Amino acid sequence: MTAHDLTLYITPERYDLVYSWYRDDLDFYVGLAKRARGPVLEAGCGTGRVLIPTLQAGVDIDGLDREPGMLEVLKRKALALGLKPTVVAADMRDFTLPRRYALITLPFRAFMHLLTTEDQLQALRCLREHLEPGGSLVYNLFYPSFERMVQAGDEPVLEREFPHPESGLPVMVYARSRYDRVRQILESRHEIVESDARGYAAATHHHDFTLRWTYLYEMELLLRLAGFSRFEVAGGFDGRAFERPEDEMVWTAWGAGA
Ligand SMILES: C[S@@+](CC[C@H](N)C(=O)[O-])C[C@H]1O[C@@H](n2cnc3c(N)ncnc32)[C@H](O)[C@@H]1O
């Protein structure tokens, strides 16, 4: 375990405030799950941003996350919609579930929370063992754009401004990112500022997270070492070729029998 493991990722309610706007990957992951020829598992399912719409689409999907608080929010939201998902508090590096899955997904860069090569390999092996013969693992992560690293300074940068979903008052998210280019670690501090009706900061929250990036051929080696028989990468959710460093890497890896 590294020191980073001890940092709480984010309070679950705030996760939804900050990230529920993000929908670019929804059609991709929900569509993939609908086409799966068997049960689906989302590892690192968080508060259900993807899992709940997938359940609503009639898919047999289970969820797993290491933060019980995230799962509580997920269950509460699902219950309000009349849904009762099966979700488990567990670490994707070391878990045992009774089912085998036709598809396992890790949306929204959850793989990047694995901070060491050992963590990555353990998770990939454990996820592969939970695949049905011929089943696939699908996940996305950003590629470390050199430009983004060079532009990152010590000053917080306004990343997004949006109306609070309940009060309608402005919420600002400022981000400060530090790239450790030797260890391939991004340390990000997000400051979430909620305004009052006069435009003054009424509440400020900090949200720190640490992500590890992985290069193209490094990921290929990891997948080989973890026992995947075949894999491919796209440069976005539309399946285009991975050609530019700004592209999102979208990986599909097949276990034995594919
Ligand atoms: C970026 S969020 C993605 C949540 C959700 N999949 C979504 O798309 O909104 C990453 C999630 O992965 C979970 N996570 C991080 N490391 C994990 C691990 N080792 N095992 C299980 N879950 C983990 C975090 O608790 C968090 O809920």
Side-chain angles (χ1 to χ4, degrees):
M1 185 180 268
T2 69
H4 301 304
D5 288 325
L6 302 174
T7 316
L8 179 68
Y9 173 51
I10 187 172
T11 61
E13 285 76 11
R14 216 158 286 139
Y15 181 89
D16 277 359
L17 171 65
V18 179
Y19 294 111
S20 53
W21 61 274
Y22 181 69
R23 305 179 66 82
D24 289 4
D25 59 351
L26 271 190
D27 285 351
F28 172 77
Y29 280 113
V30 175
L32 207 61
K34 280 167 75 175
R35 293 192 299 278
R37 298 204 182 127
V40 179
L41 173 68
E42 183 185 339
C45 60
T47 58
R49 191 185 60 84
V50 178
L51 189 136
I52 291 175
T54 311
L55 270 178
Q56 286 176 306
V59 174
D60 174 9
I61 183 170
D62 298 338
L64 174 152
D65 201 283
R66 74 171 170 192
E67 296 288 349
M70 299 289 262
L71 298 178
E72 286 311 311
V73 171
L74 184 158
K75 284 193 264 187
R76 214 164 49 227
K77 291 193 312 193
L79 202 62
L81 296 165
L83 301 164
K84 273 204 168 169
T86 303
V87 290
V88 185
D91 194 309
M92 68 173 97
R93 292 172 294 184
D94 183 17
F95 67 96
T96 309
L97 293 180
R99 302 178 91 185
R100 293 294 172 268
Y101 297 92
L103 172 70
I104 302 182
T105 60
L106 286 80
F108 215 6
R109 304 169 172 172
F111 185 83
M112 300 183 84
H113 288 279
L114 302 163
L115 300 179
T116 67
T117 303
E118 205 42 53
D119 288 348
Q120 293 175 326
L121 279 173
Q122 276 181 13
L124 287 172
R125 287 191 180 117
C126 196
L127 294 163
R128 181 182 55 73
E129 282 163 13
H130 284 80
L131 286 174
E132 282 178 353
S136 60
L137 172 69
V138 179
Y139 56 105
N140 65 287
L141 55 164
F142 72 74
Y143 199 73
S145 150
F146 184 67
E147 282 73 16
R148 211 182 303 160
M149 288 187 200
V150 170
Q151 281 158 13
D154 268 348
E155 288 305 305
V157 176
L158 178 63
E159 197 165 75
R160 229 175 37 263
E161 184 172 347
F162 55 91
H164 192 286
E166 279 152 29
S167 65
L169 293 167
V171 179
M172 269 84 69
V173 180
Y174 296 90
R176 199 182 59 202
S177 303
R178 290 217 175 96
Y179 292 87
D180 180 337
R181 286 183 286 144
V182 173
R183 291 180 180 76
Q184 298 173 211
I185 291 285
L186 161 64
E187 285 190 334
S188 231
R189 161 154 283 217
H190 281 193
E191 201 173 78
I192 303 153
V193 182
E194 297 182 35
S195 296
D196 64 16
R198 294 167 304 157
Y200 293 114
T204 301
H205 318 278
H206 289 113
H207 152 40
D208 293 324
F209 60 87
T210 305
L211 300 176
R212 159 111 179 231
W213 69 84
T214 304
Y215 291 98
L216 174 68
Y217 298 120
E218 181 187 10
M219 187 64 84
E220 288 192 4
L221 288 171
L222 286 170
L223 288 168
R224 278 179 214 275
L225 266 174
F228 285 89
S229 60
R230 197 160 62 84
F231 42 81
E232 61 187 34
V233 61
F237 297 113
D238 56 3
R240 64 178 178 269
F242 174 54
E243 287 171 335
R244 302 172 310 148
E246 302 76 33
D247 285 343
E248 186 79 7
M249 289 201 284
V250 184
W251 287 88
T252 305
W254 288 268

